[in-house]
């Protein structure tokens, strides 16, 4: 990933005009929502698209979905001054939740919806507190965090702070119905379990349009939770009878509760992938609820601190063919080979070269299967002067070849590494500085011991 992108969210694989792209948002997310642009990389990791939301406005990170029609669904947060009505200040500053459908090529706005035009701010479940009283603190009363468009041309959106899903007319923007929340439109056939969710994320139609899946946080950080765990939820809907039924729930055995973020993805196999957002963990379940994979990339001791977060966890097939070359590093006759982003490498063929750079022959080739991101290969550092690494796929096609690298037989000492390797980052500077402090302290201590020992000998002579 290009470090110049800075903060990135919502990495996914999406199809556009017959090709797969890595898509994501980049920008500033310091307010709990974002202001940035949308990026699309092709299979060689070349940036093909970088666009804003419509009307030349910066877009938010919560949603970036490419529809079957080749348009993009995007969220926005707009800072506005609005009338809050009775009970609050007559005029206050708000963050209005907005979503757009736009043309990716031209950024033309095809549809736009504003929460402020359709809901009562005073009905929000998120307390305003002191927010919105001045121009430096807008009240995020709605908090849109997902959009899905169906074949009827209507939109399913999730409002975290109204704790409900809304079905929006694609013709006039009116709210056709709500699921959950204070104005729930459905009769719950599961004793309240189908419509009682809270602070949710990532709501989407099932593929057959018979129901909805979502990540039910059940909590919002800084507010007291009313449940002891977050969950993935599958809710069946009968849109004629207007009934809702809880079809399935997916709960991590550690009863993880996440006060923000999270995702639920139904995979082509029927498996369910749950990401826990504020807590850097994810679980893949079978459709029947059996745990197939359970991972966390931060210590459980730091759950609910926000120390490590994963906004969404998504799983896709992806074929990456980078335009860069494979990389090789040589240490003590061992070669370390990698090719960042290359997904189709089956094995590495290392070719030995002489001092003139000519290949040593067919017999001077070492083949090994790729082992993880970086593969270690032992070579004859006495016979081989240089080495090249060739990436080979499962059909023995050559995918790429590295530059020739000098083979080193020398084991670098720690002191030599410290002295000869430049500090290329703040961390490097700190490590080098601390190392020299330790060496300096050791030398000083040794010198003091010698001085003291000599001094003690002289005192003995005086007292004798």
């Amino acid at each position: 990933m290009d470090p110049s992108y800075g903060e990135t969210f919502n990495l996914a694989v999406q199809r556009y005009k017959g090709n797969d792209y890595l898509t994501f948002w980049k920008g500033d997310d310091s307010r709990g929502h974002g202001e940035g642009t949308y990026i699309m990389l092709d299979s060689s990791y070349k940036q093909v698209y970088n666009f804003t939301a419509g009307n030349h406005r910066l877009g938010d990170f919560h949603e970036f979905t490419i529809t079957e029609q080749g348009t993009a669904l995007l969220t926005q947060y707009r800072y506005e001054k609005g009338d809050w009505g009775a009970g609050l200040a007559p005029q206050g500053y708000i963050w209005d939740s907005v979503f757009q459908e736009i043309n990716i090529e031209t950024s033309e706005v095809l549809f736009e919806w504003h929460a402020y035009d359709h809901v009562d701010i005073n009905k929000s479940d998120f307390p305003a507190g002191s927010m919105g009283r001045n121009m430096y603190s807008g009240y995020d009363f709605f908090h849109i965090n997902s959009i899905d468009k169906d074949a009827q041309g209507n939109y399913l959106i999730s409002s975290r702070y109204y704790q409900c899903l809304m079905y929006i007319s694609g013709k006039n923007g009116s709210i056709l119905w709500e699921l959950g929340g204070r104005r729930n439109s459905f009769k719950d056939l599961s004793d309240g379990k189908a419509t009682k969710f809270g602070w949710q994320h990532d709501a989407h139609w099932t593929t057959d349009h018979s129901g909805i899946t979502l990540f039910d946080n059940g909590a919002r950080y800084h507010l007291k939770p009313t449940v002891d765990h977050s969950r993935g939820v599958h809710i069946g809907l009968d849109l004629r009878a207007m009934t809702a039924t809880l079809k399935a729930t997916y709960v991590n055995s550690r009863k993880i509760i996440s006060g923000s973020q999270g995702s639920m993805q139904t995979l082509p196999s029927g498996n369910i992938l749950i990401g826990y957002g504020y807590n850097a963990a994810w679980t893949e379940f079978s459709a029947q609820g059996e745990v197939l994979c359970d991972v966390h990339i931060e210590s459980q001791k730091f759950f609910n601190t926000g120390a490590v977060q994963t906004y969404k966890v998504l799983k896709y097939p992806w074929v990456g063919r980078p335009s860069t070359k494979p990389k090789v590093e040589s240490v003590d006759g061992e070669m370390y080979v990698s090719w960042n982003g290359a997904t189709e490498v089956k094995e590495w063929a290392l070719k030995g070269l002489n001092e003139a750079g000519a290949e040593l022959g067919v017999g001077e080739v070492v083949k090994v299967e790729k082992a993880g991101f970086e593969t270690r290969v032992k070579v004859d550092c006495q016979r081989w002067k240089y080495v090249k690494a060739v990436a080979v796929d499962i059909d023995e096609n050559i995918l790429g070849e590295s530059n020739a690298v000098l083979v080193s037989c020398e084991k670098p000492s720690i002191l030599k590494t410290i002295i000869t390797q430049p500090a290329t980052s703040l961390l490097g500077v700190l490590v080098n500085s601390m190392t020299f402090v330790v060496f300096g302290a050791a030398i000083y201590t040794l010198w003091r011991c010698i001085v003291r020992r000599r001094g003690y000998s002289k005192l003995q002579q005086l007292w004798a």
Side-chain angles (χ1 to χ4, degrees):
M1 186 71 75
D2 186 339
S4 68
Y5 286 144
E7 292 283 352
T8 58
F9 276 79
N10 234 341
L11 177 65
V13 176
Q14 301 196 69
R15 198 157 186 82
Y16 180 63
K17 292 187 174 181
N19 296 308
D20 287 336
Y21 290 87
L22 285 179
T23 65
F24 57 93
W25 172 95
K26 72 174 182 72
D28 175 17
D29 72 326
S30 58
R31 297 186 180 94
H33 52 265
E35 293 182 339
T37 62
Y38 304 95
I39 306 295
M40 296 172 63
L41 308 181
D42 66 14
S43 61
S44 70
Y45 304 97
K46 176 185 176 183
Q47 179 179 293
V48 181
Y49 294 94
N50 179 358
F51 56 93
T52 64
N55 300 322
H56 307 289
R57 290 179 176 269
L58 295 175
D60 169 57
F61 63 77
H62 281 91
E63 189 69 88
F64 171 22
T65 295
I66 298 176
T67 68
E68 292 182 358
Q69 295 75 37
T71 58
L73 301 177
L74 314 171
T75 48
Q76 282 185 310
Y77 283 73
R78 295 191 189 174
Y79 199 57
E80 307 282 0
K81 193 173 184 180
D83 186 352
W84 287 18
L88 294 170
Q91 291 289 325
Y93 293 89
I94 61 171
W95 284 106
D96 189 15
S97 285
V98 179
F99 79 83
Q100 293 180 334
E101 181 176 3
I102 71 167
N103 182 307
I104 291 175
E105 302 292 338
T106 65
S107 292
E108 176 191 359
V109 177
L110 306 175
F111 185 86
E112 183 170 296
W113 188 88
H114 293 246
Y116 179 69
D117 295 336
H118 296 276
V119 302
D120 182 351
I121 292 179
N122 294 284
K123 301 298 183 182
S124 173
D125 291 328
F126 181 53
S130 61
M131 291 181 290
R133 304 302 182 183
N134 59 63
M135 63 182 299
Y136 303 105
S137 175
Y139 175 35
D140 179 6
F141 64 95
F142 191 85
H143 201 87
I144 188 171
N145 58 26
S146 71
I147 320 163
D148 199 4
K149 186 180 182 182
D150 63 15
Q152 285 71 45
N154 300 323
Y155 304 90
L156 178 73
I157 67 172
S158 167
S159 169
R160 177 161 157 84
Y161 292 165
Y162 280 70
Q163 301 191 81
C164 73
L165 310 183
M166 296 181 180
Y167 189 54
I168 308 300
S169 168
K171 294 179 180 179
N172 56 29
S174 62
I175 300 172
L176 300 177
W177 49 254
E178 297 181 26
L179 177 66
R182 301 188 188 192
R183 302 200 314 167
N184 173 52
S185 306
F186 290 81
K187 181 180 180 181
D188 193 327
L189 302 181
S190 300
D191 297 324
K193 296 178 181 178
T195 55
K196 191 176 181 181
F197 50 83
W199 314 106
Q200 74 287 338
H201 284 80
D202 203 30
H204 294 281
W205 288 107
T206 56
T207 53
D208 61 1
H209 207 266
S210 66
I212 289 169
T213 62
L214 60 86
F215 181 76
D216 177 14
N217 293 76
R220 199 271 183 195
Y221 57 88
H222 303 317
L223 296 179
K224 185 177 180 179
T226 57
V227 298
D228 66 354
H229 63 270
S230 301
R231 59 181 184 154
V233 180
H234 176 190
I235 303 166
L237 297 181
D238 184 333
L239 296 177
R240 290 185 177 181
M242 294 302 287
T243 59
T245 306
L246 181 64
K247 294 292 187 180
T249 60
Y250 301 90
V251 179
N252 186 282
S253 60
R254 292 188 294 273
K255 297 294 183 71
I256 299 173
I257 186 165
S258 293
S260 74
Q261 307 163 77
S263 58
M264 177 173 177
Q265 181 188 19
T266 303
L267 301 174
S269 63
N271 292 348
I272 304 297
L273 181 61
I274 305 294
Y276 293 91
Y278 194 62
N279 298 298
W282 61 90
T283 309
E284 184 172 342
F285 299 87
S286 70
Q288 293 72 38
E290 178 188 0
V291 174
L292 305 176
C293 178
D294 191 16
V295 178
H296 59 93
I297 56 173
E298 69 169 326
S299 170
Q300 289 181 241
K301 293 180 180 179
F302 297 105
F303 277 6
N304 296 315
T305 66
V308 183
Q309 303 176 36
T310 52
Y311 173 59
K312 289 182 180 179
V313 177
L314 304 172
K315 185 177 181 179
Y316 299 99
W318 171 252
V319 175
R321 301 184 185 278
S323 58
T324 57
K325 291 184 176 183
K327 295 197 69 174
V328 185
E329 294 290 339
S330 175
V331 179
D332 188 30
E334 290 187 324
M335 312 306 297
Y336 294 83
V337 191
S338 63
W339 196 6
N340 193 17
T343 60
E344 305 308 293
V345 179
K346 172 66 175 176
E347 68 176 16
W348 293 104
L350 273 70
K351 297 180 179 180
L353 310 177
N354 61 24
E355 292 187 1
E359 294 184 13
L360 295 175
V362 177
E364 298 293 338
V365 176
V366 176
K367 290 186 177 182
V368 294
E369 283 203 6
K370 178 186 174 184
F373 174 75
E374 188 174 58
T375 304
R376 184 175 66 177
V377 187
K378 184 74 174 178
V379 300
D380 187 344
C381 63
Q382 301 298 330
R383 287 175 51 79
W384 290 18
K385 184 66 175 178
Y386 298 95
V387 69
K388 280 186 178 181
V390 179
V392 181
D393 69 11
I394 194 170
D395 297 318
E396 298 189 353
N397 298 311
I398 294 176
L399 302 175
E401 186 175 286
S402 74
N403 293 325
V405 174
L406 180 67
V407 177
S408 171
C409 292
E410 181 182 0
K411 285 187 177 180
S413 67
I414 296 176
L415 183 59
K416 181 178 179 181
T417 301
I418 293 168
I419 294 172
T420 59
Q421 294 297 318
T424 57
S425 65
L426 177 60
L427 179 60
V429 172
L430 291 174
V431 170
N432 284 2
S433 300
M434 288 300 296
T435 304
F436 279 111
V437 167
V438 170
F439 272 106
I443 293 170
Y444 175 75
T445 302
L446 179 61
W447 177 78
R448 291 291 297 169
C449 287
I450 293 171
V451 169
R452 285 178 178 176
R453 182 167 294 181
R454 287 176 177 173
Y456 181 68
S457 298
K458 289 182 179 180
L459 284 173
Q460 280 186 320
Q461 291 173 5
L462 289 172
W463 283 102

